[in-house]
Amino acid sequence: MSGDAILAILDAAAGEFGLPSNVVVAVAKVESGLNSYAIRFEPQYRWLVDARDLRPLSTPGASPPQSFPSLRGCSGLTEWAAQKTSWGLMQVMGAVARERGFQGVFLSELCVPAVGAHYGCKHLRHLHARFFDRHGWAGVLAAYNAGSPTADAGRAYARKVQERMQ
């Protein structure tokens, strides 16, 4: 897919969620370099979701539980690993996509540019509603990366994104 097509998809997703296109494109540039096939397994990620009813789960430890909840056609082990993986253009965590309503059997669908952009923007919009008034874009972007608007790692990430905004 051409760079122009990727930018058009990101622009459309930004518009769908009322987000500035330059913010969305900058996030995608920092997260994946605009590579829709980018993935990253994050074994320490622990905020997982029941794929069937989208409830948060508590699953401590580095190993999957005996019967991790998954959708029909996907093993529990695959679902567990996929939720601990960031996917696609905006590097959406699988668990975050589930939390935001993704019901596809396989989280690898987040590598489809329009799907990944949709769920990345949906999550960014959620964080904007939650943190923008108090923390501005820097806090929203920090939360996108590190889960908190005040996390040091998230602040460094926010600076990278803001440098790439046009």
Side-chain angles (χ1 to χ4, degrees):
M1 183 172 286
S2 74
D4 287 343
I6 294 288
L7 293 175
I9 287 167
L10 290 167
D11 186 56
E16 178 183 357
F17 289 97
L19 296 168
S21 183
N22 66 327
V23 172
V24 171
V25 170
V27 166
K29 285 179 178 178
V30 170
E31 289 290 348
S32 70
L34 300 180
N35 182 345
S36 64
Y37 295 108
I39 64 169
R40 180 176 176 219
F41 180 60
E42 299 184 32
Q44 301 308 314
Y45 191 81
R46 59 180 191 202
W47 296 276
L48 305 179
V49 175
D50 184 318
R52 294 175 293 218
D53 65 14
L54 307 181
R55 282 181 305 110
L57 294 172
S58 173
T59 56
S63 307
Q66 291 277 132
S67 57
F68 192 82
S70 61
L71 298 178
R72 185 181 182 106
C74 180
S75 74
L77 179 59
T78 297
E79 178 69 22
W80 176 84
Q83 285 196 25
K84 290 174 165 272
T85 299
S86 56
W87 299 95
L89 289 171
M90 296 184 74
Q91 289 292 279
V92 178
M93 291 302 297
V96 168
R98 291 282 187 224
E99 185 179 26
R100 299 286 164 251
F102 180 79
Q103 286 290 297
V105 174
F106 295 104
L107 286 157
S108 55
E109 288 180 51
L110 293 166
C111 287
V112 173
V115 176
H118 173 86
Y119 284 97
C121 286
K122 189 172 188 177
H123 185 54
L124 197 56
R125 170 42 76 192
H126 169 81
L127 295 172
H128 183 276
R130 188 169 173 198
F131 297 122
F132 184 79
D133 287 346
R134 191 158 183 215
H135 300 280
W137 274 113
V140 171
L141 295 168
Y144 187 88
N145 177 256
S148 166
T150 59
D152 287 341
R155 290 289 183 180
Y157 169 85
R159 282 190 296 277
K160 281 186 194 176
V161 172
Q162 289 173 316
E163 289 169 3
R164 285 171 179 78
M165 287 183 197
Q166 301 170 9

